[in-house]
Amino acid sequence: MSLSTQHGLPFHVMTKPIGPICNLDCEYCFYLTKTNLYPAEKDFRMSDNVLEEYIKQYIAHQPGPVISFAWQGGEPTLMGLEFFQHIVELQQQYLPEGWHVENSLQTNGTLLDQEWCDFLREHSFLVGLSLDGPPEIHDVYRKDKQGRPSSPQALRGLELLKEHKVEFNVLCVVNNVNAKQPMEVYQFFLDHEVKYIQFIPLVEGSKEEGVSSRSVSGLEYGRFLTTIFNHWVRFDLGDIYVQLFEGIVGTEAGMGSSLCVFSPSCGRFLAMEHNGDIYACDHYVDPDHLLGNIMNQNMAEMVNSPEQQGFGKEKSTSLTEYCKQCPVLSYCYGGCPKNRVTVSPTNEEGHNHLCDGYRQFFRYVQPYSRVIVNKLQRKTAPPAIRQKMQEVYDTIWSGVGRNDLCPCQSGKKYKKCHQSYSLPRF
């Protein structure tokens, strides 16, 4: 089969070249236990044969002309620099003429050095750096194997990326600790010249508690986002890129969200383990969602298999009735299915743990996002948009009293919501 006849709809693979192996021991990491899937495995290093087959197939089954690779873990830099140099060589070997390849690398940053950064800059890798806020917040859950704080090494990695002009963003896991200090977290990133930020809510399943005590509640997550959004939309829009906020504007403009968790269906974002095993999703790396192995099966056939198609459609078919009637369903589409671990207000199982936060936040941002889209369509410059956002903000928040309903759309009185939460109004 020629390349031209293999290309179809794009799909994305989170590739784990060293599986779940990591030099840190973060308390909330859901992937460290994936070693249990391969009890006989001792190395967990992707072989050259698996790597080459993956790159060959992945390029062959993408529509192009831009091919995006994502390297994750565990901690992928444990593979060593030579492995990634080989990645670049193989990509060029199999890339059709006139096509372009992009690479992203998700890392805790603790192993980065000058040689790594020179390579990452030279080959235009986008680096995702895991950082949960200031050291006293970051180190609560993110420690090394000896129980020592990881922030000194992570921040050293951040400074190296900046020094060597490597393009990077920060991935911040929002948990029960940093959720209570939104502006401290956001300001810390601004102080360290971070321009691109992702906020990922922590929802850990627990048989005893439903979700773990480390998890962020829906209401906490909504308040966290609202607080940062209130500052961002008036002072940083156009200069700082918060993935979730940018996605909301895209949704309001009718382009859909760039985030899989807010898409109508799943199934196009897969995960590949070190040995070539393909799983339905990064959050469903388990025997029930194993699609096959690239060393003896065609990747595109696995992606388009009835099993994977069914997995993708289940996101919409399993929505609770409460969710289907939601006024902001078109913003979140029920969120990530792995977070549907609670009971809805109408007593339906399989409801999203973050629902309260999503409903609150997406309802709150609608007046802003509609104006932003209108201004962007008129090619209004960011400073003028920010000025208009200040006007919208003042209209929403001015004159609110302690016993009034909170303007954030939580349904609670202001004194028991944003006022008691110490959120800045101006």
Side-chain angles (χ1 to χ4, degrees):
M1 183 180 291
S2 68
L3 283 175
S4 61
T5 58
Q6 291 187 59
H7 299 150
L9 292 175
F11 58 91
H12 187 74
V13 178
M14 292 185 179
T15 312
K16 319 276 189 172
I18 200 161
I21 305 303
C22 187
N23 62 321
L24 297 186
D25 196 16
C26 302
E27 289 186 34
Y28 58 65
C29 182
F30 71 95
Y31 214 78
L32 293 177
T33 58
K34 300 305 178 183
T35 53
N36 298 331
L37 291 172
Y38 305 97
E41 185 67 74
K42 297 180 180 179
D43 191 19
F44 283 96
R45 292 179 63 86
M46 181 177 288
S47 69
D48 287 346
N49 289 339
V50 171
L51 176 64
E52 182 168 4
E53 182 63 25
Y54 166 58
I55 289 176
K56 180 174 65 174
Q57 281 203 39
Y58 190 66
I59 290 176
H61 296 305
Q62 296 295 324
V66 178
I67 309 292
S68 298
F69 286 84
W71 307 97
Q72 301 203 359
E75 176 48 47
T77 59
L78 286 171
M79 288 297 295
L81 189 53
E82 288 187 5
F83 178 82
F84 283 87
Q85 291 169 336
H86 190 40
I87 285 174
V88 173
E89 293 170 356
L90 288 171
Q91 288 172 339
Q92 295 307 310
Q93 178 181 334
Y94 288 102
L95 198 66
E97 185 177 355
W99 285 28
H100 175 67
V101 67
E102 296 178 341
N103 286 286
S104 63
L105 174 72
Q106 186 64 42
T107 176
N108 57 45
T110 62
L111 302 178
L112 296 177
D113 57 19
Q114 179 173 329
E115 190 176 11
W116 263 109
C117 290
D118 286 341
F119 168 82
L120 295 169
R121 184 190 65 246
E122 178 184 356
H123 297 286
S124 301
F125 271 63
L126 171 63
V127 175
L129 181 67
S130 298
L131 197 62
D132 291 350
E136 65 274 14
I137 294 176
H138 175 90
D139 290 329
V140 173
Y141 295 132
R142 296 186 63 84
K143 296 181 173 67
D144 66 15
K145 300 295 186 183
Q146 288 74 44
R148 297 172 301 196
S150 65
S151 61
Q153 290 74 29
L155 291 175
R156 180 184 57 83
L158 171 61
E159 293 306 316
L160 282 169
L161 292 170
K162 288 160 51 180
E163 177 185 339
H164 291 269
K165 296 180 171 52
V166 178
E167 186 177 358
F168 73 96
N169 60 43
V170 160
L171 188 154
C172 174
V173 175
V174 184
N175 53 63
N176 68 317
V177 176
N178 59 6
K180 297 176 175 62
Q181 303 177 69
M183 282 310 299
E184 289 84 348
V185 171
Y186 184 62
Q187 190 60 54
F188 177 78
F189 294 149
L190 297 185
D191 291 344
H192 282 77
E193 303 174 38
V194 176
K195 300 292 186 183
Y196 301 87
I197 308 169
Q198 300 179 53
F199 292 118
I200 309 297
L202 176 63
V203 181
E204 290 182 302
S206 169
K207 292 181 180 179
E208 296 77 20
E209 305 173 63
V211 295
S212 74
S213 59
R214 290 184 292 259
S215 301
V216 63
S217 72
L219 185 57
E220 285 178 326
Y221 188 52
R223 285 171 168 173
F224 177 91
L225 294 175
T226 301
T227 307
I228 296 175
F229 180 85
N230 279 341
H231 183 95
W232 173 84
V233 79
R234 295 177 295 145
F235 304 112
D236 299 328
L237 183 153
D239 295 328
I240 305 298
Y241 297 86
V242 180
Q243 186 184 45
L244 177 56
F245 302 164
E246 301 287 335
I248 290 170
V249 175
T251 299
E252 189 66 46
M255 298 183 294
S257 175
S258 58
L259 296 171
C260 67
V261 295
F262 298 140
S263 297
S265 61
C266 297
R268 308 304 290 186
F269 292 81
L270 301 93
M272 189 180 83
E273 258 294 334
H274 66 292
N275 65 346
D277 282 349
I278 297 284
Y279 292 89
C281 170
D282 184 46
H283 289 287
Y284 289 87
V285 176
D286 57 55
D288 291 339
H289 294 90
L290 175 63
L291 299 175
N293 188 286
I294 63 168
M295 300 307 288
N296 50 48
Q297 291 175 262
N298 181 286
M299 186 181 295
E301 291 177 357
M302 287 187 272
V303 174
N304 296 308
S305 66
E307 293 80 8
Q308 185 67 356
Q309 295 297 304
F311 171 80
K313 293 176 182 177
E314 190 176 2
K315 178 174 183 178
S316 60
T317 59
S318 63
L319 288 172
T320 61
E321 288 301 317
Y322 182 82
C323 194
K324 292 177 183 177
Q325 303 303 316
C326 180
V328 292
L329 178 61
S330 62
Y331 280 80
C332 79
Y333 290 102
C336 183
K338 70 100 177 172
N339 293 336
R340 296 178 182 177
V341 294
T342 190
V343 178
S344 75
T346 50
N347 205 34
E348 299 170 270
E349 296 282 350
H351 198 61
N352 197 302
H353 170 74
L354 299 170
C355 175
D356 288 345
Y358 285 154
R359 288 172 70 93
Q360 175 265 308
F361 178 67
F362 289 131
R363 290 173 65 192
Y364 175 74
V365 300
Q366 281 181 330
Y368 297 92
S369 60
R370 289 167 181 164
V371 174
I372 292 172
V373 169
N374 178 268
K375 294 296 182 182
L376 289 175
Q377 290 172 341
R378 295 171 180 267
K379 303 187 184 305
T380 307
I385 298 178
R386 292 195 294 264
Q387 183 177 355
K388 183 62 179 179
M389 291 301 96
Q390 181 67 57
E391 295 175 11
V392 175
Y393 178 85
D394 290 341
T395 300
I396 291 173
W397 288 90
S398 63
V400 59
R402 294 180 71 253
N403 291 310
D404 294 334
L405 288 177
C406 188
C408 79
Q409 301 290 328
S410 67
K412 298 179 179 295
K413 289 186 177 181
Y414 176 61
K415 65 183 179 182
K416 293 188 176 181
C417 191
H418 277 64
Q419 185 181 50
S420 63
Y421 197 62
S422 300
L423 300 187
R425 289 177 54 191
F426 302 101

